[in-house]
Amino acid sequence: MDTLINAAREILETATAIACLTGAGVSAESGVPTFRDAQTGLWSTFDAQRLASQDGFADDPGLVWRWYMARLAGVEKAMPNPGHFALAELAWRMPDFVLITQNVDDLHERAGSGDVIHLHGNIARFHCNRCGREHSLQAEDRSASLPPYCTVCGSYVRPSVVWFGEGLPEDALAAAVDAMTACDLLLVVGTSGLVYPASELPQIAKWAGARVLEINPEPGPLSSMADICLRGPSGEILPRLLGN
Ligand code: BJW
Ligand code: ZN
């Protein structure tokens, strides 16, 4: 592993434009469950693919609401881990650094990262499922058995996250694609690479000539395009990569 870390550090030190794509794994060591990890992942307890969809919300809005309120409480309790801090430090060191996350938590921001591109939204924001009006969460909403109603149209309020079958925010996706074509190094951290269109981003960077470095304890579909795979938790590997 030391040889691989040293090789990766060399690539990092000579890179002039770095992009980083993170997934649920980067927050795992903060106690935020990943989606697909067999033992602890949200998918092992719930059919999250169903809950995170319009069909799931239509079938049982109360279940979906309570699931998100429980997850929001978990995110609020969680603290950034050394992986989040290392990425914030990398941004301070590198003038040309773009951080793109699929995560709906704010742990990158709380570690000091600014201008984070959120591809899948934000679990702490809410809007009407019909008219789109923003809703600020009230204390009583948190323990409610049903979602709050929109004050404009009376429909249910939902979390401002991207569900399956929904489009990603266009500006975020465009900025992510730009970063892929502009970078000479892409770090892919803690994502299974299973969810489209985020899963296509590393291929865009590769086609544009960037080197790709994967940090993940497990191999996945993105591993074959990585120049170096560092197998281990990002909370340990990222600080080592920075020489901390
Ligand atoms: C560690 C670690 C440690 C652990 N350190 N690492 C058929 C084929 C292809 C595509 C489709 C298809 N059918 C439908 C689609 C499209 C669909 C899709 O991709 N589905 C797949 C499941 C097949 N995508 C969409 O619907 C997207 N929209 C779209 O495509 O619109 C057009 C369209 C619509 C319909 C049909 C076709 C096109 C929208 C996707 C939105 C995803 N939303 C979610 C939920 C957000 C809200 C919420 O939080 O509830 O986003 S799903 C979930 O997955 C969440 C995540 O951001 C996302 C990615 O997951 P991530 O981050 O990779 O986490 P995990 O758990 O998968 O992996 C964790 C990783 O960490 C693992 O690798 C571990 O090893 C690692 N790890 N510990 C480092 N300590
Ligand atoms: Zn409304």
Side-chain angles (χ1 to χ4, degrees):
M1 178 58 96
D2 280 351
T3 319
L4 280 181
I5 294 258
N6 287 339
R9 283 182 70 177
E10 254 182 67
I11 296 179
L12 189 74
E13 277 156 19
T14 53
T16 56
I18 302 180
C20 175
L21 173 67
T22 66
V26 79
S27 295
E29 290 153 90
S30 296
V32 179
T34 66
F35 288 86
R36 288 173 197 82
D37 286 333
Q39 298 301 312
T40 56
L42 292 165
W43 305 81
S44 62
T45 326
F46 300 101
D47 180 1
Q49 190 150 342
R50 178 89 186 145
L51 293 181
S53 74
Q54 282 291 351
D55 286 349
F57 192 54
D59 278 0
D60 196 339
L63 176 65
V64 172
W65 182 255
R66 292 191 301 276
W67 185 60
Y68 276 100
M69 286 303 104
R71 290 177 52 208
L72 174 62
V75 163
E76 287 170 337
K77 232 177 34 203
M79 298 299 283
N81 69 56
H84 297 107
F85 286 115
L87 290 174
E89 184 182 334
L90 190 54
W92 300 330
R93 286 194 202 176
M94 284 288 307
D96 196 346
F97 179 83
V98 182
L99 180 55
I100 302 143
T101 188
Q102 297 166 80
N103 297 345
V104 296
D105 66 50
D106 62 350
L107 293 174
H108 284 306
E109 284 87 348
R110 283 200 265 144
S113 288
D115 297 329
V116 183
I117 298 173
H118 280 270
L119 292 174
H120 293 161
N122 183 327
I123 196 169
R125 295 204 185 129
F126 301 87
H127 67 270
C128 170
N129 195 38
R130 181 186 292 162
C131 74
R133 165 89 164 208
E134 283 182 23
H135 172 87
S136 10
L137 195 71
Q138 306 298 309
E140 61 270 22
D141 297 339
R142 291 176 179 265
S143 52
S145 54
L146 283 172
Y149 295 107
C150 172
T151 51
V152 174
C153 76
S155 294
Y156 282 133
V157 162
R158 56 166 284 182
S160 300
V161 298
V162 182
W163 283 336
F164 284 109
E166 296 182 328
L168 275 59
E170 277 174 27
D171 50 348
L173 187 57
V177 171
D178 283 352
M180 294 303 115
T181 55
C183 70
D184 56 8
L185 173 62
L186 173 66
L187 309 178
V188 181
V189 183
T191 178
S192 60
L194 290 171
V195 175
Y196 172 88
S199 55
E200 308 268 285
L201 292 172
Q203 188 62 65
I204 297 173
K206 195 75 190 166
W207 278 328
R211 286 198 271 192
V212 176
L213 220 156
E214 182 183 57
I215 298 171
N216 196 312
E218 303 294 334
L222 302 177
S223 304
S224 58
M225 80 180 70
D227 295 86
I228 298 182
C229 297
L230 299 173
R231 294 274 165 251
S234 47
E236 288 173 24
I237 301 282
L238 281 168
R240 282 179 69 190
L241 192 59
L242 268 67
N244 296 343

